[in-house]
Amino acid sequence: MSDVTQLIHEYLRHNKKFPHVFCAGCGHGIVLGSLIRSVHALGLPKDDVVVVAGIGCSGRLAVYVDFNTVHTTHGRALTFATGIKMANPRLKVICVMGDGDAMSIGGNHLIHAARRNIGVTALVLNNHIYGMTGGQCSSATPQGDISMTTPYGALEDSFDFVEMAKAAGANYVARGTSFHALMLDKLITSAIMHPGFSMVEVFSPCPTQYGRKNKFRSAVDMYKWLKKNTVKIETLKEGEKPEDGRIPIGVFRDRQTPGLEERYADMQRKLMGTGR
Ligand code: SF4
Ligand code: MG
């Protein structure tokens, strides 16, 4: 048991609650639990796992895990993750970002990480808003929704992260939610074990900055909304879009092509008779 884990156990013995920064009802703690359970279920040594986090509420996930962690600059988490994976392909590199981080400020990096198909897992916590910085609209804020910077409703269309990652070339693309926690465990576990680039988008409620502005009476209402307005993709016919507007969740792309780091090692072997 590491010193940090010992300290947490000691704290819990006296206080019974885990100290964290998340607001009551925030979905991010559920994603954190899912991430930890997934790594545990896979039996991965903690030293072989690297969590690279961006800026924002989602970035705080890196603080609570006893893996190798890097807290990076806003929108640039995937660039750090790319360097880490290329330098040491043996590591399981998991990049935790929010929607602002992954698809607004860092959108370009996500597109190119998917195109390169590098062996990194992107865990994108989509709460449809910039949470920590005050509730500004992001590229994931649905059209018409209220944010601090769109008080009369967002005029722009939001990104579909799944379609974007698929079109850019990712090997594994999935969408889950903080309501469907057990399903999320499976999605994250598969993503971590997939070769090449994997992305799991997670709809994760932000009751404080998004919910209140958009007439959700409570955090519970937001989880009920997720339950009612999502549909498992395996219940749909191929290519079918639900007419009632429900959002498909599940696995949208599942390929096994080699990641960039594997192709690079192959090239090294061919050119120099070396490679990891
Ligand atoms: Fe969660 Fe939103 Fe609070 Fe951030 S501001 S901790 S995303 S509820
Ligand atoms: Mg966000």
Side-chain angles (χ1 to χ4, degrees):
M1 194 185 290
S2 74
D3 291 349
V4 175
T5 315
Q6 258 170 348
L7 273 174
I8 291 171
H9 280 222
E10 189 65 20
Y11 181 92
L12 290 176
R13 243 196 309 282
H14 297 295
N15 296 281
K16 309 286 183 217
K17 277 187 187 165
F18 190 82
H20 61 78
V21 297
F22 303 123
C23 310
C26 177
H28 288 9
I30 296 170
V31 185
L32 172 62
S34 207
L35 171 63
I36 293 169
R37 281 193 300 277
S38 301
V39 171
H40 184 69
L42 290 167
L44 298 173
K46 288 189 285 188
D47 281 346
D48 289 357
V49 179
V50 185
V51 169
V52 184
I55 298 296
C57 300
S58 61
R60 305 307 293 169
L61 261 66
V63 176
Y64 303 113
V65 292
D66 191 17
F67 312 134
N68 301 290
T69 57
V70 191
H71 200 184
T72 69
T73 45
H74 212 172
R76 306 292 173 253
L78 272 168
T79 63
F80 287 82
T82 298
I84 293 165
K85 186 68 183 181
M86 290 306 285
N88 192 347
R90 193 179 56 83
L91 297 171
K92 295 287 183 199
V93 182
I94 303 163
C95 197
V96 180
M97 299 167 284
D99 47 295
D101 224 12
M103 282 301 276
S104 302
I105 293 174
N108 196 30
H109 300 304
L110 192 128
I111 291 167
H112 289 287
R115 176 184 65 80
R116 292 178 178 128
N117 203 23
I118 185 160
V120 166
T121 296
L123 190 53
V124 183
L125 281 64
N126 183 358
N127 57 10
H128 307 297
I129 208 152
Y130 281 92
M132 185 177 272
T133 50
Q136 298 90 342
C137 136
S138 79
S139 61
T141 307
Q143 197 183 108
D145 279 10
I146 310 294
S147 73
M148 199 254 274
T149 46
T150 57
Y152 305 110
L155 292 173
E156 301 165 8
D157 260 334
S158 56
F159 262 129
D160 184 325
F161 291 14
V162 163
E163 291 302 324
M164 173 66 83
K166 271 169 61 187
N171 254 3
Y172 180 88
V173 180
R175 180 188 290 128
T177 86
S178 294
F179 175 79
H180 304 83
L182 295 180
M183 176 184 173
L184 188 57
D185 290 7
K186 288 189 191 139
L187 299 179
I188 296 175
T189 307
S190 299
I192 292 172
M193 293 317 288
H194 245 74
F197 189 69
S198 53
M199 188 198 79
V200 181
E201 178 191 20
V202 189
F203 281 2
S204 184
C206 169
T208 306
Q209 297 289 7
Y210 178 81
R212 284 180 197 163
K213 291 183 182 76
N214 288 286
K215 308 270 187 297
F216 284 99
R217 281 169 306 161
S218 67
V220 174
D221 273 1
M222 298 184 83
Y223 290 90
K224 283 184 181 163
W225 188 95
L226 281 176
K227 183 180 180 198
K228 194 170 160 215
N229 290 283
T230 51
V231 55
K232 292 191 177 157
I233 190 169
E234 59 264 29
T235 64
L236 301 171
K237 292 193 198 103
E238 198 175 334
E240 181 188 353
K241 289 207 169 136
E243 282 176 14
D244 55 9
R246 282 182 301 163
I247 300 157
I249 54 174
V251 180
F252 296 81
R253 160 76 56 78
D254 187 348
R255 285 195 315 216
Q256 297 282 338
T257 52
L260 175 66
E261 70 287 353
E262 293 175 66
R263 284 174 273 139
Y264 182 61
D266 271 352
M267 183 187 278
Q268 279 182 311
R269 270 190 289 272
K270 276 183 202 139
L271 293 177
M272 298 182 282
T274 60
R276 284 177 246 232

